[in-house]
């Protein structure tokens, strides 16, 4: 990741664009799966890793940790706890 030491705006733009690029590539893999191809799990893992990497860069630029972001959203997400999927119901176990 290119770091612009004295330019937080450039850092935010670079990381936001990179997150979007990785997410778009992840979406491509999902679309192929929906269209009948086998899910490329390795590609999905790679794209999710890229998203995590660039999210860290974004968070570092705005001086927040992953925990800060998760804590700030915990109340909003708490209502979704009842919708958790059992491991044997995941897509990896259905292929």
């Amino acid at each position: 990741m290119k770091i612009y030491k004295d330019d937080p705006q450039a850092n935010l733009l670079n990381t936001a664009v990179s997150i979007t690029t990785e997410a778009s590539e992840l979406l491509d893999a999902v679309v192929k799966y929906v269209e009948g191809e086998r899910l490329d799990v390795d590609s999905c893992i790679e794209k999710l890793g890229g998203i995590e990497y660039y999210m860290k860069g974004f968070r570092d630029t705005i001086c927040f940790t992953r925990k800060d972001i998760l804590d700030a959203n915990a109340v909003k997400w708490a209502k979704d706890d009842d919708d958790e999927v059992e491991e044997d119901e995941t897509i990896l176990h259905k292929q």
Side-chain angles (χ1 to χ4, degrees):
M1 170 179 7
K2 180 148 177 82
I3 303 293
Y4 302 91
K5 292 185 184 227
D6 296 321
D7 195 347
Q9 290 177 333
N11 276 335
L12 292 178
L13 181 60
N14 180 49
T15 55
V17 168
S18 298
I19 291 166
T20 303
T21 300
E22 295 290 339
S24 176
E25 292 172 1
L26 178 63
L27 177 60
D28 287 344
V30 173
V31 167
K32 288 177 183 176
Y33 172 70
V34 169
E35 292 174 342
E37 294 183 28
R38 184 170 177 82
L39 182 63
D40 185 345
V41 175
D42 291 335
S43 177
C44 290
I45 290 169
E46 179 183 337
K47 299 309 166 196
L48 289 169
I51 291 168
E52 290 285 349
Y53 176 77
Y54 292 114
M55 285 174 51
K56 181 182 183 321
F58 192 99
R59 289 190 307 263
D60 288 350
T61 302
I62 61 172
C63 301
F64 282 92
T65 66
R66 185 172 189 272
K67 183 175 181 337
D68 294 333
I69 302 300
L70 294 176
D71 289 349
N73 286 279
V75 172
K76 180 172 50 173
W77 295 334
K79 66 180 180 195
D80 294 334
D81 285 347
D82 294 332
D83 296 332
E84 290 186 21
V85 177
E86 296 294 324
E87 184 173 334
D88 62 347
E89 296 176 0
T90 64
I91 196 166
L92 295 177
H93 290 90
K94 292 182 179 180
Q95 289 192 24

